[in-house]
Amino acid sequence: MAIVLLFGIGLGWTLAQEERCISSQFRKHGDYLLGGLFPLRVLTTDTTYRTLPDVYVCERIYTSGLIWALGMKFAVEEINNSTALLPGIELGYDIYDDCMEPIVALQPSLLFLTQKGTSSVGVLCNYTDYRTRMLAVIGPHSSELCTVTARLFSFFLIPQVSYGATAEKLNNEELYPSFFRTVPSDKIQLEAMIELLVSFKWNWIAIIGSDDEYGREGLSLLSTMAVTKGICIAYEGLIPSDVSIPDLETRLEPTVLSINKTNVNVVVLFSNDRPVRALLKVCLRLGLSQKVWLATEAWVMSEVVSSLRRVESIGTVIGFIIKAGNISRFSSYIRRLFELTQQKSFCEASQKEGNQVGSDVLGLQCPQCDQLSLDNVTTVLEHRQTFAVYAGWPTLLEKMENLNFSIRNHSFHFDQYRSINKGYEVIGWSWQDGRIQYITLGKFNGKLSINKSKFRFHTEDQKEPTSQCLTECQPGQIRRIKGFHLCCYDCIDCEAGTFCSSSEDTGCTACPEHQWSPKRSTQCYDRSEKYLFWFEPLALILLGLLLLALALTCLAGALFLKNLHTPVVQAAGGGLCLLALCCLAVICVITSLYVGKPSPTICKLHDPFFALCLNVCFSTILAKAFQIVLVHEFPNSRRNFLHVLIQKQPWSIVASCLLVESLFCFWYVYDIPPLVVKHYALLPTQVLIQCNIRSLPLFALIHGYNTSLAFTSFLCTFMVEVPAKKYNVARGITFAMIAYFGALIFFLPTFTAVKQEDQPAVVMAAMLLCTLGLLACFYLPKCYILWFKPEWNTTDYFQDYTQQKVEEKDSQD
């Protein structure tokens, strides 16, 4: 029992030794008083179901706010101890706790507006001579509170200098004419954040804001600015700013699940620190995958967030803090102050000095602060926000707008929005031995400058993760937006014949007609020429057959010339056969002109020349067919002019047919001649060069006329009966014409069915078939007899249709 008693006495003595009088350090008498609004504690009363204007309970200590308040105390003491700043004038201060709640902040704000020497606010028509209790006000910290207090202080034109309110709407001079701040507005911070997103090509992000003035305005500004840089907001949501509501975690779960569904890897969190802590706590509980968290200055260095259990496993935290100088003696000042607040004499003096300030209607500020030790505040001593408080010492309103001043070799001035903008530092979280460290990664002062080698991400290779709705399109692809997000798109390959020179292009550009491109191309290429080349396999085969036909034709001509007056040659046509064989040789030469690049001259001439040569061949055969039909079908008819013309003047028949064909060909060449055309659309990579027949009726006329000669010859010889033991010349003509019609039948459907680039080969094949057919059916059998069966070359075996029947008829007459 005695041991227990001694232990209790020892413990009580120890606690008594730890008791401090921090709460009595927030008031100081002076010639002029400065008001201070700082978040010394956090509201713990649930205001959700409030029905009476009862007392608000703030019990949980906010150590950062305490250090900021002591920063104001430190600044005022430096001013008072300086012989250069305000000589002969001593500044005092009255610092109050705002509990981070507008309702709580209004109470001391009204006290600041009381008439000097009283505890009441006068209701007057003219406030020109009204003197408020406070000369100026430092704080509060958040934009939510400042939008409330600034309207109130602006009515009395009391200078208010905030050390943390960054909302853009506070730039409105008409609404807040006496509001100043020692930090830049959110717009500057968001510009830095946008540049950081662009530098890492993160265009698919989620943004979360607290449901208060700070978060709502931040989200609105960020959404607007992101669109101009091609950054898409995959998810945008608000989280409760009041963390005391009973179902807070339940209300936060949909937000966390929504972030997870979007598959984003970057989340911008625009909120004060307490809502951030609540959100991250739910993220850790639900197992949200690691992300890159872009933090605002409101929470990136907050102990409230960094002290969260397992917070290092949320991913990578990159944030922006206001660029500020170091207060070299502040840390030692705090340590000294904590030692002094344990001394009874110092505490009594502080209490006495505080009582001289005047009205104490709000009671003692932050009694819980007396339980703090130096260890409790060590982690927040280097908080950059303290310098913003330190820099916010006030002066007269009419001088502040053009005020330039220096603090510890740092120059400051209020810009056109009554803000101090020294830029931002980019910092990242790093964990060493379980303790957080803040690493400087870059800076922003109108332009972002970062050192990417210092970034250490949560990925396995510590390289930056991608956060895009889709990765960048490959060369030769264009973007096609899908859904409602500008950066969500499909990558579409440019089709053949089009190209895309830049991944930013929204459409594929068609190549000029003289150029081509493959699928998914970044440029166009010149088309190569396409025609029937000399060394193509098909061309070589056709030329080989043409050479064979030419050789056979020449051989036949030589044999016919050598045996011109023999029965075989005379029965076939005599000299007309030599003319026909010469024309067949010319046809072989003309046919070869379809190989090689077409020229205007060749296009004009090869159809007429072929038609004329073929006409000569058919007309010579027609003359022989007329002779045969005259002898066999009209053997007893009287001899007249027609008999003489057919049997004695067959050359006139040939000449007449050739004359008619020549007129048709002249019309064809000089009226609507064929032209060389270039077809760009037929082949993917080549330009097809061909002769284009512009008048199909004329083309049909010149070849139709020859077909009519062939058909007439066929009709004349088809049913002719030849006496036994006589060579059947009529059968040779019949089969020659059948060969021609076979070539024609082959040509017409084949020409229309094949690809256009193969049509010249089809024409060559048809002309070759026609030539070989005539040779094989009419001329080569005679050559066979001349060469191999000369004994058949007799008058008895070959009937001379120009002599025999005529002589018989003459003798009968």
Side-chain angles (χ1 to χ4, degrees):
M1 185 66 181
I3 295 175
V4 174
L5 181 61
L6 289 174
F7 178 77
I9 293 172
L11 180 60
W13 183 83
T14 302
L15 291 174
Q17 287 295 322
E18 291 296 327
E19 188 76 21
R20 290 178 170 83
C21 58
I22 298 294
S23 59
S24 63
Q25 305 305 308
F26 302 126
R27 308 188 77 190
K28 176 180 173 58
H29 178 68
D31 299 322
Y32 296 98
L33 287 181
L34 305 177
L37 294 173
F38 292 89
L40 304 177
R41 297 169 298 175
V42 177
L43 184 69
T44 53
T45 304
D46 185 5
T47 60
T48 306
Y49 305 104
R50 177 174 174 264
T51 57
L52 294 173
D54 49 6
V55 177
Y56 295 96
V57 179
C58 302
E59 294 180 340
R60 192 186 313 138
I61 296 296
Y62 188 68
T63 52
S64 296
L66 171 63
I67 294 300
W68 299 338
L70 295 179
M72 176 180 173
K73 172 181 171 65
F74 174 69
V76 172
E77 290 182 7
E78 279 205 338
I79 293 172
N80 289 336
N81 294 331
S82 173
T83 59
L85 292 176
L86 294 174
I89 297 177
E90 185 172 8
L91 291 178
Y93 52 81
D94 200 0
I95 298 174
Y96 286 90
D97 184 13
D98 59 34
C99 290
M100 299 186 183
E101 291 293 334
I103 273 182
V104 179
L106 277 176
Q107 291 179 316
S109 297
L110 290 172
L111 180 61
F112 294 161
L113 296 176
T114 59
Q115 196 164 7
K116 190 173 183 180
T118 70
S119 58
S120 61
V121 179
V123 180
L124 307 174
C125 292
N126 189 340
Y127 284 90
T128 303
D129 298 323
Y130 187 87
R131 294 293 178 264
T132 56
R133 184 168 179 261
M134 298 296 166
L135 178 68
V137 178
I138 303 297
H141 168 259
S142 72
S143 300
E144 180 81 5
L145 271 62
C146 282
T147 54
V148 176
T149 60
R151 294 292 292 269
L152 194 61
F153 295 140
S154 293
F155 179 77
F156 292 88
L157 293 180
I158 296 178
Q160 177 186 3
V161 183
S162 174
Y163 51 89
T166 56
E168 184 74 11
K169 68 181 297 183
L170 292 170
N171 290 339
N172 192 327
E173 191 173 1
E174 292 183 4
L175 294 178
Y176 313 105
S178 65
F179 177 80
F180 295 82
R181 52 187 166 195
T182 56
V183 292
S185 70
D186 284 332
K187 186 177 181 181
I188 307 299
Q189 181 178 198
L190 289 175
E191 288 175 357
M193 193 173 290
I194 291 293
E195 286 204 25
L196 182 68
L197 291 169
V198 171
S199 66
F200 284 106
K201 298 181 180 179
W202 290 329
N203 66 355
W204 183 240
I205 63 172
I207 57 175
I208 309 296
S210 51
D211 193 9
D212 53 21
E213 192 68 32
Y214 176 71
R216 287 191 297 268
E217 186 180 86
L219 259 62
S220 177
L221 275 173
L222 182 59
S223 299
T224 303
M225 296 169 70
V227 171
T228 62
K229 295 294 184 178
I231 298 173
C232 289
I233 311 298
Y235 175 76
E236 180 176 345
L238 293 171
I239 57 176
S241 59
D242 184 4
V243 296
S244 63
I245 57 177
D247 58 343
L248 177 62
E249 290 197 4
T250 303
R251 295 177 62 178
L252 288 174
E253 285 183 2
T255 299
V256 176
L257 295 175
S258 296
I259 295 174
N260 200 40
K261 287 180 180 178
T262 59
N263 295 322
V264 298
N265 285 322
V266 176
V267 181
V268 179
L269 202 42
F270 212 94
S271 170
N272 293 307
D273 51 5
R274 291 183 300 156
V276 171
R277 178 187 174 93
L279 177 67
L280 295 184
K281 186 177 180 181
V282 176
C283 290
L284 292 171
R285 179 172 61 84
L286 295 179
L288 181 70
S289 59
Q290 291 184 317
K291 308 289 184 185
V292 175
W293 300 87
L294 294 190
T296 60
E297 48 79 29
W299 69 271
V300 68
M301 293 188 70
S302 171
E303 186 189 14
V304 171
V305 180
S306 61
S307 62
L308 180 64
R309 180 174 169 269
R310 295 193 303 114
V311 71
E312 66 274 9
S313 62
I314 64 170
T316 303
V317 176
I318 303 171
F320 299 85
I321 56 171
I322 299 163
K323 217 173 180 184
N326 295 319
I327 311 176
S328 58
R329 296 193 301 271
F330 183 63
S331 295
S332 59
Y333 170 80
I334 294 297
R335 292 185 177 90
R336 175 63 178 162
L337 180 63
F338 267 79
E339 293 175 0
L340 291 175
T341 53
Q342 284 186 301
Q343 299 177 11
K344 185 177 181 181
S345 59
F346 178 80
C347 292
E348 289 177 350
S350 298
Q351 185 65 41
K352 182 179 178 181
E353 189 173 29
N355 292 335
Q356 294 178 3
V357 174
S359 175
D360 195 20
V361 295
L362 294 181
L364 184 66
Q365 294 299 302
C366 192
Q368 294 87 351
C369 294
D370 294 338
Q371 306 298 325
L372 293 176
S373 66
L374 184 61
D375 292 338
N376 298 129
V377 299
T378 301
T379 56
V380 294
L381 276 180
E382 301 300 327
H383 203 295
R384 306 295 182 90
Q385 202 74 49
T386 307
F387 191 87
V389 178
Y390 179 76
W393 65 279
T395 183
L396 296 178
L397 177 61
E398 61 267 20
K399 295 183 179 180
M400 288 187 72
E401 293 188 359
N402 299 314
L403 183 64
N404 290 276
F405 57 95
S406 297
I407 300 177
R408 300 186 180 276
N409 298 323
H410 291 274
S411 177
F412 297 88
H413 71 277
F414 290 101
D415 60 19
Q416 58 179 332
Y417 301 114
R418 303 178 308 284
S419 305
I420 293 178
N421 180 15
K422 296 296 289 183
Y424 285 88
E425 287 186 22
V426 185
I427 65 170
W429 284 12
S430 178
W431 296 89
Q432 301 291 335
D433 300 325
R435 295 179 62 88
I436 189 171
Q437 292 185 355
Y438 303 105
I439 302 175
T440 300
L441 304 173
K443 61 183 179 179
F444 178 82
N445 196 355
K447 185 177 181 181
L448 183 68
S449 175
I450 57 175
N451 187 349
K452 289 190 176 182
S453 63
K454 290 186 176 182
F455 284 77
R456 295 292 182 270
F457 292 94
H458 57 270
T459 53
E460 291 184 2
D461 57 0
Q462 295 188 338
K463 296 292 182 65
E464 70 270 14
T466 58
S467 190
Q468 299 175 330
C469 186
L470 191 68
T471 55
E472 289 187 354
C473 290
Q474 298 298 316
Q477 293 182 322
I478 60 169
R479 299 177 177 180
R480 179 173 294 170
I481 296 174
K482 63 179 179 181
F484 301 99
H485 298 287
L486 294 177
C487 58
C488 283
Y489 50 85
D490 292 318
C491 287
I492 308 299
D493 292 343
C494 283
E495 296 295 331
T498 64
F499 72 99
C500 173
S501 58
S502 171
S503 60
E504 302 300 321
D505 290 347
T506 57
C508 298
T509 304
C511 291
E513 67 173 8
H514 66 281
Q515 292 184 321
W516 73 280
S517 66
K519 189 176 183 180
R520 197 167 151 181
S521 177
T522 59
Q523 63 178 346
C524 293
Y525 306 92
D526 290 334
R527 291 176 177 269
S528 60
E529 294 180 341
K530 171 62 178 175
Y531 43 83
L532 192 59
F533 292 97
W534 287 99
F535 296 104
E536 284 187 44
L538 180 60
L540 291 175
I541 293 173
L542 292 173
L543 288 173
L545 292 175
L546 281 176
L547 186 61
L548 174 63
L550 181 61
L552 292 175
T553 303
C554 293
L555 178 61
L559 286 173
F560 272 56
L561 179 61
K562 182 180 179 180
N563 301 278
L564 180 61
H565 299 290
T566 63
V568 171
V569 177
Q570 291 299 316
L576 292 178
C577 290
L578 294 177
L579 178 62
L581 287 171
C582 288
C583 289
L584 282 180
V586 174
I587 288 177
C588 292
V589 176
I590 293 172
T591 304
S592 66
L593 296 180
Y594 282 90
V595 182
K597 186 177 181 179
S599 67
T601 302
I602 291 176
C603 286
K604 285 182 179 180
L605 298 181
H606 59 40
D607 278 332
F609 266 95
F610 172 71
L612 289 172
C613 291
L614 194 62
N615 181 269
V616 171
C617 293
F618 285 168
S619 61
T620 58
I621 292 175
L622 178 64
K624 180 55 63 177
F626 281 162
Q627 291 175 358
I628 293 172
V629 75
L630 185 64
V631 169
H632 289 281
E633 299 299 330
F634 306 98
N636 300 317
S637 61
R638 291 184 60 82
R639 191 168 181 269
N640 54 26
F641 172 76
L642 187 60
H643 286 77
V644 176
L645 180 65
I646 293 175
Q647 293 198 331
K648 297 298 184 180
Q649 302 294 329
W651 290 94
S652 60
I653 297 175
V654 174
S656 301
C657 293
L658 183 61
L659 177 61
V660 174
E661 183 70 5
S662 298
L663 292 175
F664 291 156
C665 290
F666 181 82
W667 186 12
Y668 176 77
V669 170
Y670 286 96
D671 188 14
I672 311 176
L675 295 177
V676 177
V677 294
K678 296 181 178 181
H679 299 286
Y680 293 99
L682 293 177
L683 301 175
T685 64
Q686 298 172 302
V687 51
L688 179 62
I689 303 177
Q690 282 186 335
C691 296
N692 182 43
I693 298 172
R694 295 193 296 162
S695 177
L696 287 177
L698 283 180
F699 179 82
L701 179 63
I702 62 173
H703 290 287
Y705 177 65
N706 285 336
T707 303
S708 66
L709 297 182
F711 186 69
T712 303
S713 300
F714 174 78
L715 292 179
C716 290
T717 59
F718 178 64
M719 297 299 292
V720 172
E721 293 184 1
V722 179
K725 298 182 181 181
K726 293 287 186 179
Y727 182 83
N728 195 342
V729 178
R731 184 179 299 172
I733 295 175
T734 302
F735 281 107
M737 297 303 101
I738 291 176
Y740 168 74
F741 291 127
L744 194 62
I745 293 172
F746 158 80
F747 169 74
L748 291 176
T750 306
F751 185 83
T752 57
V754 299
K755 297 179 181 178
Q756 193 164 340
E757 60 267 27
D758 296 326
Q759 288 177 350
V762 174
V763 174
M764 289 184 65
M767 295 172 70
L768 181 62
L769 285 176
C770 180
T771 303
L772 290 175
L774 290 175
L775 280 173
C777 296
F778 190 76
Y779 296 103
L780 292 184
K782 282 77 174 175
C783 293
Y784 174 79
I785 294 174
L786 291 174
W787 189 273
F788 296 103
K789 300 291 184 180
E791 65 274 12
W792 292 358
N793 190 5
T794 62
T795 304
D796 295 334
Y797 192 68
F798 285 91
Q799 181 178 357
D800 188 352
Y801 294 98
T802 64
Q803 298 290 334
Q804 183 176 351
K805 293 295 180 181
V806 176
E807 291 175 354
E808 292 178 357
K809 184 66 178 174
D810 290 340
S811 63
Q812 291 176 1
D813 292 339

